[in-house]
Amino acid sequence: MSANRIQPRLPKGMRDFLPADMIKRDYVFGVVRDVFHLYGFEPLSTPVLELRETLYGKYGEDAEKLIYNAQHPGGKEELALRYDLTVPLARVVAMHESAIMLPFKRYQLAPVYRGERPQKGRYREFYQCDVDIVGVADVSADAEVLGVVVSTLRRLGFPNFTVKINNRKLLSAMGQYSGVPDAQLGDLYRSIDKFDKIGADGVRDELIQRGIDAEAVARMMALLVDNHLNADKLGILEDVMGGVDSAAEGIRELRDLSAHLNDAGVPRQFVEIDFTMVRGLGYYTGPIFETVVTEPQIGSLSGGGRYDGLIGMFRKESLPTTGVSLGIERIIDVMDELGLYPAHIGGTVVQALVGVFGPDLRPAATALTAQLREAGIRAELMLQDRKVGQQFNYADKKGIPLVVLQGPDEAARGEVKVKRLRDGVEVTVAAVVLAETVRSMLV
Amino acid sequence: MSANRIQPRLPKGMRDFLPADMIKRDYVFGVVRDVFHLYGFEPLSTPVLELRETLYGKYGEDAEKLIYNAQHPGGKEELALRYDLTVPLARVVAMHESAIMLPFKRYQLAPVYRGERPQKGRYREFYQCDVDIVGVADVSADAEVLGVVVSTLRRLGFPNFTVKINNRKLLSAMGQYSGVPDAQLGDLYRSIDKFDKIGADGVRDELIQRGIDAEAVARMMALLVDNHLNADKLGILEDVMGGVDSAAEGIRELRDLSAHLNDAGVPRQFVEIDFTMVRGLGYYTGPIFETVVTEPQIGSLSGGGRYDGLIGMFRKESLPTTGVSLGIERIIDVMDELGLYPAHIGGTVVQALVGVFGPDLRPAATALTAQLREAGIRAELMLQDRKVGQQFNYADKKGIPLVVLQGPDEAARGEVKVKRLRDGVEVTVAAVVLAETVRSMLV
């Protein structure tokens, strides 16, 4: 390297995706979009750069330290890179009120930026994938959102996963019923949220350490633990707490949600009511959801719920909203680990390499390539003059399934050879049926 | 609005794309990607944020003022938002040398950021769409790149466009042959570049004003103008300048390029040699390309060429590279203006709205919706309880082609109604054949 040539580097926590990875990501993105469209969710795009005033004060102080600020040398506006897709949604709904019809069912699949400490599986630029329904207060909307999550993961080939559902109203009622003071409800939720990690005893100990009255803790734990594995969780809870207004409402919403999921044919094996599932974010107001896979042990694949107050941050009156964020980066990690990609998703988009026997036969090879492309086959023409053996090696190394080659003998007879590298099958056919031949050998 | 609620705004020059626009953009992006794949170009992704040192010193001082800088509060790295997709390509090729096979045929379709003064058709966040081939010195690669441009525009339905081709070596030779000193070649190119705008007389006047010797100007103008509309431009030029080495090389490359395009079956009506086409960027070293449409008068739709030195900015030895940047935002503008979208690309992704006759029939409507989605039809379930007439109005206003409705009578008979809003055609069919019926009515 010469002295003044800089060693190329990437910023910390940022990634390039070379074709072999991009092809997999694009496959996942494509499946996700297809399912969203089937459910009638429409695409939305917002810019990476927002005004700083739009983002600041929305995520809390700790998060604000992670927001990237931006400016060009002559620029006077204070800008920031988007931190999530929810605040931009709220801004869009307020700004384009007259152009948006309610219900507004939108999805957005786009990168967000957070200056977090990079570690395995955590990056500073990563994709979020949100589906939300703005404008519907009824749990029919929550059921739609859950349906899209289940369909997406099934379509992607996830063998087993569980969408856990709970309800914030019910959680609050459980706290109040147990005698936990309102001021300590936040502490209560934070501890319950660890149920899967630290178990019932761990939660109990932590609640007592947080200074919550021992009797209240005992009542709360009874509500959580006794129902934890019971099929009729809601019935038991209703017997105990049915008289508490917010409990009754939470229970009713969970029952309605279950009924909607049944009507929509969502298989029950993928959905489970779990009173210990809390979701960290403070803005949820009703049903909450979280998807977990047990193998590999990787945390949640999606999270969401109803947040009827949030859209009001940019608007005089809020609008009822429910949605879910698919952990698309984690989904891709799991797909990589479990090898869930279909066979045709390989390291290259190319289906056939058209080799060039020698300079004299380059025009013919060029024409054959055009013929394949015209027929919808993804074909690469060998652009450099290399020995035939090297051309086969190139195709093999790149993972191209077929090599098409026309030597002088074939050319003289109007024929062409097609070889499948996987199993060495080779055929010689009339050039006019090349495309059909290639297509049949790709299966 | 309450006093402390901020009026939501976007930064200057930034855009949201609501669903109706996004559906069109995604259609264009989809066609473009499909064609790139047919030609064997593979997807690449690089982060929006690059190290400032990667971008600075690459675009010239004026451009540097337009680069957005970025940083998060605790961040020590000096970052910048990408300004184009070419410098990131050069960085990627140098950084991932061992993982990349040559030739590296990649495309990237992604937003870039420039703090330019916003004006009609010019934004601070806009998509670029680049296809490049790294590692092939032969013009067969330039022909591939031109082929992909022609195929893309044809596939998008552009009725007429012209890809102009020229060669930097030939331009330099023409200048030298005419007697323009090397130091004034830049001035010469800048004036010739305006040929389409100011005409032959304008170029002549400007060259003389720039202080280029009148005799040299006259010789240069003869080369440009005499050939401007002549079919055998290259033959005439060869007769005059064939003895000048670089001219001979440029002419040979243009001839080879033409031959390759013929072999690939690229219709000649879309390609034209134009000696007055220069391309602004200094880094081109051989063939150069530019696509223009005459109607609407909107400037160039693509630009590119061979730049064999550029990859060397991050690498000891450069690699021969040729490529083209499709002006994707401009292409979308033209498609909007000429109405080039297929009929099925409308304001919504939804193909059928499943109405709800009343609360009792919501479970049945939910099941019908699931049935449609299972069959691959993009269906929206009416989530709110509204009067039937309002539901039809909603579908109409949103541009949903079909409404599916099951009233109590239909439900009792296991039937369902499907109405096409465009022409009012309505059928009542057995619920089990709903999906087939909907599909047939969508055509």
Side-chain angles (χ1 to χ4, degrees), chain B residues 186-198:
Chain B
D187 281 347
L188 177 73
Y189 297 158
R190 270 184 287 279
S191 294
I192 296 175
D193 201 21
K194 299 185 190 162
F195 199 101
D196 280 350
K197 282 191 197 134
I198 61 179

Side-chain angles (χ1 to χ4, degrees), chain B residues 15 74 83 117 141 161 183 193 209 221 227 239-240 245 251 273 300 326-327 357 410 420 434:
Chain B
R15 292 172 288 176
Y83 179 84
R117 187 182 297 274
F161 59 89
D193 201 21
Q209 272 170 27
M221 293 311 297
N227 298 309
D239 288 346
V240 179
D245 277 356
I251 289 167
I273 294 176
S300 65
L326 281 176
F357 192 87
E410 286 89 24
R420 184 159 62 196
L434 173 61

Side-chain angles (χ1 to χ4, degrees), chain B residues 97-415:
Chain B
E97 214 159 43
S98 59
I100 288 174
M101 283 183 75
L102 298 181
F104 184 44
K105 292 175 71 174
R106 85 86 179 83
Y107 70 88
Q108 188 167 4
L109 173 57
V112 301
Y113 300 84
R114 299 183 180 184
E116 295 199 78
R117 187 182 297 274
Q119 60 185 52
K120 188 178 178 306
R122 189 199 280 165
Y123 298 93
R124 290 180 166 185
E125 175 184 66
F126 62 96
Y127 272 67
Q128 283 198 338
C129 180
D130 286 14
V131 280
D132 294 272
I133 301 176
V134 180
V136 181
D138 193 79
V139 290
S140 60
D142 302 272
E144 278 283 281
V145 162
L146 287 179
V148 92
V149 170
V150 173
S151 291
T152 302
L153 292 176
R154 293 183 75 189
R155 191 70 69 95
L156 286 171
F158 277 74
N160 49 56
F161 59 89
T162 308
V163 180
K164 296 184 168 188
I165 61 179
N166 196 3
N167 191 298
R168 273 294 170 90
K169 290 170 187 163
L170 187 55
L171 274 170
S172 300
M174 285 164 77
Q176 285 156 0
Y177 169 83
S178 305
V180 179
D182 282 0
Q184 288 185 306
L185 281 176
D187 281 347
L188 177 73
Y189 297 158
R190 270 184 287 279
S191 294
I192 296 175
D193 201 21
K194 299 185 190 162
F195 199 101
D196 280 350
K197 282 191 197 134
I198 61 179
D201 292 346
V203 172
R204 181 182 298 111
D205 293 351
E206 200 176 294
L207 289 175
I208 286 173
Q209 272 170 27
R210 286 184 193 270
I212 297 177
D213 177 67
E215 200 180 322
V217 169
R219 283 159 66 97
M220 189 71 210
M221 293 311 297
L223 288 177
L224 290 178
V225 178
D226 290 353
N227 298 309
H228 196 50
L229 294 170
N230 194 302
D232 188 24
K233 294 171 186 181
L234 282 175
I236 295 173
L237 216 63
E238 193 160 29
D239 288 346
V240 179
M241 297 206 305
V244 182
D245 277 356
S246 57
E249 204 176 326
I251 289 167
R252 186 182 53 73
E253 285 181 2
L254 279 172
R255 281 203 198 286
D256 284 356
L257 187 52
S258 277
H260 280 295
L261 292 173
N262 283 340
D263 295 339
V266 175
R268 297 303 304 185
Q269 78 216 65
F270 296 116
V271 184
E272 183 193 318
I273 294 176
D274 182 349
F275 299 130
T276 69
M277 190 274 290
V278 174
R279 299 295 304 154
L281 290 169
Y283 58 61
Y284 291 116
T285 55
I288 49 177
F289 336 118
E290 184 169 297
T291 306
V292 294
V293 280
T294 44
E295 202 177 324
Q297 192 73 45
I298 196 169
S300 65
L301 290 187
S302 85
R306 177 165 285 281
Y307 51 104
D308 286 344
L310 199 76
I311 297 288
M313 63 172 65
F314 297 111
R315 203 171 175 280
K316 194 168 180 183
E317 282 170 25
S318 192
L319 289 166
T321 305
T322 185
V324 72
S325 188
L326 281 176
I328 193 79
E329 300 282 359
R330 215 174 254 182
I331 285 171
I332 291 168
D333 287 347
V334 176
M335 293 203 53
D336 287 344
E337 197 167 331
L338 300 184
L340 297 182
Y341 300 97
H344 72 273
I345 300 299
T348 176
V349 300
V350 178
Q351 296 173 309
L353 176 73
V354 181
V356 178
F357 192 87
D360 290 354
L361 286 161
R362 177 169 289 283
T366 304
L368 291 172
T369 310
Q371 188 183 325
L372 288 173
R373 290 170 179 167
E374 197 63 38
I377 288 156
R378 301 192 295 271
E380 177 171 345
L381 171 66
M382 196 74 206
L383 292 174
Q384 288 161 314
D385 292 326
R386 293 197 196 160
K387 288 183 186 157
V388 166
Q390 288 177 328
Q391 300 186 39
F392 276 91
N393 285 345
Y394 169 80
D396 193 39
K397 208 171 153 195
K398 205 173 158 182
I400 301 173
L402 304 177
V403 176
V404 172
L405 192 68
Q406 192 181 50
D409 296 347
E410 286 89 24
R413 290 194 300 267
E415 291 179 345

Side-chain angles (χ1 to χ4, degrees), chain B residues 11-26:
Chain B
K12 277 203 203 82
M14 305 286 167
R15 292 172 288 176
D16 293 319
F17 294 104
L18 297 183
D21 283 327
M22 267 307 277
I23 289 167
K24 288 185 189 168
R25 290 175 72 84
D26 281 344

Side-chain angles (χ1 to χ4, degrees), chain A residues 7 188 353:
Chain A
Q7 180 72 32
L188 177 74
L353 176 74

Side-chain angles (χ1 to χ4, degrees), chain A residues 1 5-12 14-19 22-23 26 37-51 53-54 56 58 64-74 77 79 81 91-92 94-96 99-105 107 113 115 124-125 133 135-136 138 140-141 144 155 260 263-264 312-316 347-350 362-363 366-367 370 373 376-381 383-384 386 394 397-398, chain B residues 1 5-12 14-19 22-23 26 37-51 53-54 56 58 64-74 77 79 81 91-92 94-96 99-105 107 113 115 124-125 133 135-136 138 140-141 144 155 260 263-264 312-316 347-350 362-363 366-367 370 373 376-381 383-384 386 394 397-398:
Chain A
M1 284 238 164
R5 186 177 300 113
I6 56 165
Q7 180 72 32
R9 291 184 301 131
L10 270 178
K12 277 202 203 83
M14 304 285 167
R15 291 171 289 177
D16 293 319
F17 293 105
L18 298 183
M22 267 307 277
I23 289 166
D26 281 344
H37 291 171
L38 284 177
Y39 277 76
F41 287 89
E42 319 255 10
L44 173 72
S45 168
T46 65
V48 163
L49 290 173
E50 293 273 358
L51 289 174
E53 64 184 32
T54 300
Y56 273 44
K58 306 301 188 304
E64 227 150 77
K65 288 183 200 141
L66 307 178
I67 294 178
Y68 283 92
N69 294 314
Q71 207 147 26
H72 67 90
E77 292 174 317
L79 306 174
L81 275 69
R91 179 189 56 66
V92 162
M95 260 183 78
H96 305 281
I100 287 175
M101 285 182 75
L102 298 182
F104 184 44
K105 293 174 70 174
Y107 70 87
Y113 300 84
R124 290 180 165 184
E125 175 184 65
I133 301 177
V136 182
D138 192 80
S140 60
E144 278 284 280
R155 191 69 69 94
H260 280 295
D263 295 339
M313 62 172 65
F314 297 112
R315 204 173 176 277
K316 193 168 179 183
T348 177
V349 300
V350 178
R362 176 168 290 282
T366 303
R373 291 170 180 166
I377 288 157
R378 301 192 295 272
E380 176 171 346
L381 171 65
L383 292 174
Q384 289 161 310
R386 293 197 197 162
Y394 170 79
K397 208 172 154 194
K398 205 173 157 182
Chain B
M1 283 237 167
R5 186 177 299 112
I6 56 166
Q7 180 72 32
R9 291 184 301 132
L10 269 177
K12 277 203 203 82
M14 305 286 167
R15 292 172 288 176
D16 293 319
F17 294 104
L18 297 183
M22 267 307 277
I23 289 167
D26 281 344
H37 291 170
L38 284 178
Y39 277 76
F41 287 90
E42 320 254 8
L44 173 72
S45 168
T46 66
V48 163
L49 290 172
E50 292 273 359
L51 290 174
E53 65 183 32
T54 300
Y56 273 44
K58 308 301 188 304
E64 227 150 78
K65 287 182 202 143
L66 307 179
I67 294 179
Y68 284 93
N69 294 315
Q71 207 146 25
H72 66 90
E77 292 175 317
L79 305 174
L81 274 70
R91 180 189 55 67
V92 162
M95 259 183 78
H96 304 281
I100 288 174
M101 283 183 75
L102 298 181
F104 184 44
K105 292 175 71 174
Y107 70 88
Y113 300 84
R124 290 180 166 185
E125 175 184 66
I133 301 176
V136 181
D138 193 79
S140 60
E144 278 283 281
R155 191 70 69 95
H260 280 295
D263 295 339
M313 63 172 65
F314 297 111
R315 203 171 175 280
K316 194 168 180 183
T348 176
V349 300
V350 178
R362 177 169 289 283
T366 304
R373 290 170 179 167
I377 288 156
R378 301 192 295 271
E380 177 171 345
L381 171 66
L383 292 174
Q384 288 161 314
R386 293 197 196 160
Y394 169 80
K397 208 171 153 195
K398 205 173 158 182

